[in-house]
Amino acid sequence: MGLTSKKVLLLAVLCAVALFVLTIWLWPRLSRHNWRTVLGRVGLLLATQLSIFALIGLLANNAYLFFGSWGELLGVKQDLASTGPGGAKVKVLGIERAGLPGGSRPQDAGRIEKVALKGEKSKINSQAFVYLPPQYFQPEYAKKRFPVSVVLTGHPGTMQALYKKLDYPQTQHDLVSKKKMQPTIFVMMSPTVVPPRDTECVDVPNGPQTETFFTHDVRQDIAGHYRVGTDAKNWGVIGDSTGGYCALKMPMRYPKAFSTGVALSGDYRAPLDPDTGALFGGDKQLERENDLMWRQKNLPAAPVNLLVTSSKQGEPNYRNTLQFIRQTKTPGRIASIILDRGGHNFDTWRREIPAALEWMSGHLKA
């Protein structure tokens, strides 16, 4: 039973209710003053409270999908099948339903493929969900190369949230039908590619080369397997929270990899905490270069398109977002979505995603 399955949630509910009822029923029998009854009362209370805490944790995880599997929750690194037939760097592991009109017909609904990617240069292997729009399977598009958007979660976050909670494929399907967006391939991923460490899309000195993985390996692997463009103008990246920081930083640092970036409630510098560890290995210059505010002030601007979002009330990044907008220099280009009220949550991002995808589509070239 998977961590997010309804069976696990139902089992947690039954355990919590059963232990609560058992506590009430046995309490009179455990009212005597001896060490056995005292231990019995302590054990019942502890078991009941743990079952309730577990239930609350499962409910929160099902609502926000912080962890997609028991392995992610426990920080167990998965053994990925990272190569396909003939040594191909992409292997399709399975098919997911997008919940779109047309059901199982990819010509009508598109298709979500769960894939394993092999990072030849970075030596990082990771998984992704690749959304192929319906047009990818239609005869009139058989010779077309599609634009690509890498779609990133925050940390902690799970890839499934991108199509189960944030509805990226569903939103694209709606926008394309209204001719507000061009068909685009989504590569939906978590920035946490070496779990449980939060590397903030940084090439860590003597550590995981996460930035290289995203700016080189992901692009090379996807372009070698799907009909996509290979120039920076064909590639964008969008993300929320930590994924938003990555979505700004990678175009700014690697404009030959990504021409466009969208940050939903993104940060502007990497935190240094127990989850990240020493990201920069004491290299102060590397730390400054990954501070997006410092880059704007001290380095030439990259010729890329950036969009940032925040809320006047409810977002901790509001003031920094305004400063980032003011500091943007040509040839860089900046756009923004500023809500009156919002928050660092799925509800806010769902409100921003349609406009953000429409904007991004206008800057990507097929």
Side-chain angles (χ1 to χ4, degrees):
M1 293 187 289
L3 177 63
T4 59
S5 72
K6 292 182 180 179
K7 291 181 180 180
V8 169
L9 187 60
L10 179 60
L11 183 61
V13 171
L14 293 175
C15 285
V17 172
L19 283 168
F20 178 76
V21 172
L22 188 64
T23 299
I24 294 175
W25 184 56
L26 291 179
W27 200 259
R29 302 185 184 187
L30 298 173
S31 60
R32 298 173 184 173
H33 297 287
N34 59 63
W35 67 271
R36 291 187 179 87
T37 56
V38 170
L39 285 179
R41 292 196 297 270
V42 170
L44 277 175
L45 289 174
L46 184 60
T48 302
Q49 289 180 346
L50 286 175
S51 68
I52 293 172
F53 288 146
L55 176 59
I56 293 171
L58 285 170
L59 288 170
N61 190 63
N62 280 18
Y64 294 101
L65 283 178
F66 298 115
F67 303 98
S69 67
W70 295 108
E72 289 180 17
L73 175 65
L74 300 173
V76 177
K77 188 173 182 179
Q78 298 180 19
D79 182 18
L80 300 179
S82 56
T83 57
K89 298 180 182 67
V90 172
K91 181 176 181 180
V92 178
L93 304 176
I95 305 298
E96 298 283 324
R97 292 285 185 90
L100 289 167
S104 60
R105 284 178 51 84
Q107 300 93 331
D108 298 325
R111 187 164 72 198
I112 298 176
E113 296 185 349
K114 184 178 182 180
V115 303
L117 305 177
K118 180 180 180 181
E120 188 172 52
K121 188 174 181 180
S122 66
K123 308 305 179 186
I124 292 174
N125 297 338
S126 188
Q127 291 182 354
F129 287 99
V130 177
Y131 171 65
L132 303 171
Q135 292 76 12
Y136 192 85
F137 303 96
Q138 296 171 2
E140 56 267 40
Y141 290 87
K143 296 182 179 180
K144 176 183 174 62
R145 290 189 176 274
F146 289 77
V148 185
S149 178
V150 176
V151 186
L152 298 175
T153 69
H155 173 86
T158 179
M159 298 177 289
Q160 290 91 333
L162 296 170
Y163 65 90
K164 289 185 176 181
K165 299 294 182 180
L166 293 177
D167 301 333
Y168 273 95
Q170 297 87 338
T171 302
Q172 179 185 157
H173 193 274
D174 181 60
L175 290 173
V176 171
S177 70
K178 296 176 180 176
K179 301 187 183 305
K180 293 183 177 181
M181 179 182 178
Q182 62 180 316
T184 303
I185 291 176
F186 287 156
V187 182
M188 298 178 285
M189 305 186 69
S190 168
T192 312
V193 292
V194 285
R197 188 174 185 181
D198 173 19
T199 58
E200 296 284 323
C201 300
V202 170
D203 277 353
V204 180
N206 301 313
Q209 303 297 288
T210 312
E211 191 169 52
T212 296
F213 174 72
F214 281 110
T215 59
H216 180 272
D217 293 335
V218 170
R219 294 179 75 255
Q220 185 178 69
D221 290 359
I222 294 298
H225 191 79
Y226 298 102
R227 299 194 316 273
V228 303
T230 56
D231 297 331
K233 65 183 180 181
N234 311 127
W235 284 75
V237 54
I238 179 172
D240 59 75
S241 192
T242 298
Y245 166 70
C246 295
L248 293 179
K249 182 181 70 165
M250 291 192 289
M252 292 174 73
R253 284 174 55 82
Y254 292 89
K256 292 184 178 180
F258 297 103
S259 65
T260 305
V262 177
L264 308 176
S265 307
D267 300 318
Y268 299 95
R269 64 180 300 177
L272 295 177
D273 55 33
D275 284 345
T276 64
L279 285 179
F280 308 107
D283 187 333
K284 292 299 182 182
Q285 182 60 24
L286 180 62
E287 183 174 354
R288 285 190 289 266
E289 290 177 0
N290 281 271
D291 183 328
L292 304 188
M293 297 293 193
W294 185 92
R295 288 191 70 87
Q296 284 185 318
K297 288 183 178 180
N298 298 280
L299 297 176
V304 294
N305 310 295
L306 302 176
L307 183 146
V308 292
T309 78
S310 190
S311 306
K312 295 178 182 178
Q313 296 182 21
E315 278 283 15
N317 77 335
Y318 175 61
R319 292 184 181 276
N320 284 340
T321 297
L322 296 183
Q323 182 182 347
F324 186 82
I325 294 169
R326 289 193 299 267
Q327 289 183 177
T328 300
K329 300 178 292 190
T330 56
R333 294 168 293 274
I334 189 75
S336 64
I337 299 173
I338 306 295
L339 304 179
D340 288 332
R341 288 182 174 83
H344 205 78
N345 54 57
F346 286 169
D347 290 338
T348 298
W349 300 329
R350 276 193 292 263
R351 293 162 60 193
E352 297 166 341
I353 286 170
L357 289 181
E358 184 177 350
W359 177 89
M360 173 175 275
S361 181
H363 290 86
L364 296 181
K365 307 298 181 184

